[in-house]
Amino acid sequence: VFMTALFSPLSLRELELPNRIAVSPMCQYSCEPDGLPTEWHRVHLGSRAVGGAGIVMTEATAVEPRGRITPHDLGIWSDDHAAALEPITEFIRQQGSVPGIQLAHAGHKASKTRPWDGNVPLSPEDGGWEVLSPSPEAYPPFGGDRPAIEKATTADIDGVIEAYRTAAERSLEAGFEIAEVHAAHGYLLHEFLSPVTNRREDAYGGSFENRTRLIREVTDAVRDVWPEDKPVFVRISGTDWLPEQESWDIEQSVRLAAELAALGVDLIDVSSGGIHPDQDIPAGPNFQVPLAEAVRDGADVAVGAVGGITEPEQADALVHNGRADLVLVGREFLRDPYFGLHAAGRLEEEPSARWPIQYR
Ligand code: FNR
């Protein structure tokens, strides 16, 4: 039987992904203000597992309450959160898909209202909180005025690392098979990576080695508790798209990816941007693929490509041509929860066996 590249399995450690299609992490802002999943999450994530995704990745899931973008974000900072997520991961697995969780801390971009409420800073009086960042004084005008903790202390940093470690432990209890560390889009870990937002003069700022220290320590903590037979992913911004100033770029990304791979990271999920409003993003089909490809070639690690991928043939070509190992699909999966099944319909001769028995 002819097998397309997109529907060929991918083995990462002992985990076999049924195909190369992943639901990209997408915030739903649909929790009551407690970080617990609701019926929305169950149906939203469950539908995409029914719809043929090889991986269903949760939205950015906060490792501690102040790491939420909005009070309505998903969280994994208590045993109650793990218990509430467990039926969701079980359903995803029953559909033959793999549940993944994106572990996140929003850093300085936390404490805002939901996009449909204007995405504006939320003060502590209005239900927000003090935000954490490497160097609040350096932070560009992305989020407007919000009270920031003066500067992350060593105790704050140790707390973040521990929060990631316990979040990973709880994710495992909840039944997730992939842990993805979110280090992209201008959130906390990216804020440490980029000289745009990191002006520290201690061991966590300045040189490449110092700016990458936190992500390496977080990755170490997650890898330490995540089982040997299960993969860890890291999502990075491949570039800040700020060529005119000292910033994070693809050369640093390749170097970081190689170091993360050496720490036991199995796949680098390559996105971009999010650190500064002056970013100049050349959006369009495959717009971030060259970044993923550079990481794959330069760091010799498996990569996920994301951004502007909407067509089955397009996704298949990325894998077939060795540009990416995994394809993450965001907005197209919002428009079409059955993107995976529809892709099989277009690419395969006899795709019907992929549909759930109830629908055949
Ligand atoms: C996102 N994106 C995103 N990325 C991420 O790493 N964590 C997240 O929680 C979110 N949340 C989110 C919500 C919504 C509604 C959208 C549309 C996007 C980015 C997303 O994962 C993806 O990288 C981009 O949407 C680009 O891929 P597409 O949409 O062009 O396939």
Side-chain angles (χ1 to χ4, degrees), residues 28-41 59 62 65 68 70-77 81 84 114 116 127 129:
Q28 299 296 298
Y29 310 107
S30 297
C31 301
E32 299 310 313
D34 54 12
L36 291 167
T38 60
E39 285 299 284
W40 179 265
H41 297 90
E59 67 195 79
R68 291 171 296 168
T70 81
H72 299 275
D73 289 21
L74 193 60
I76 179 106
W77 61 79
H81 293 87
R114 294 180 285 197
W116 53 85
W129 53 88

Side-chain angles (χ1 to χ4, degrees), residues 1 74 87 106 132 143 198 206 214 216-217 231 265 290 331 347:
V1 179
L74 193 60
L132 186 67
N198 185 341
L214 180 57
R216 286 185 284 110
E217 290 179 346
V265 171
R331 288 163 294 176
L347 300 174

Side-chain angles (χ1 to χ4, degrees), residues 24-27 59-60 102 182 185 235 271 306-308 329-331:
S24 200
M26 285 180 284
C27 287
E59 67 195 79
Q102 190 186 46
H182 191 357
H185 303 166
R235 171 168 278 200
S271 187
V306 63
V329 175
R331 288 163 294 176

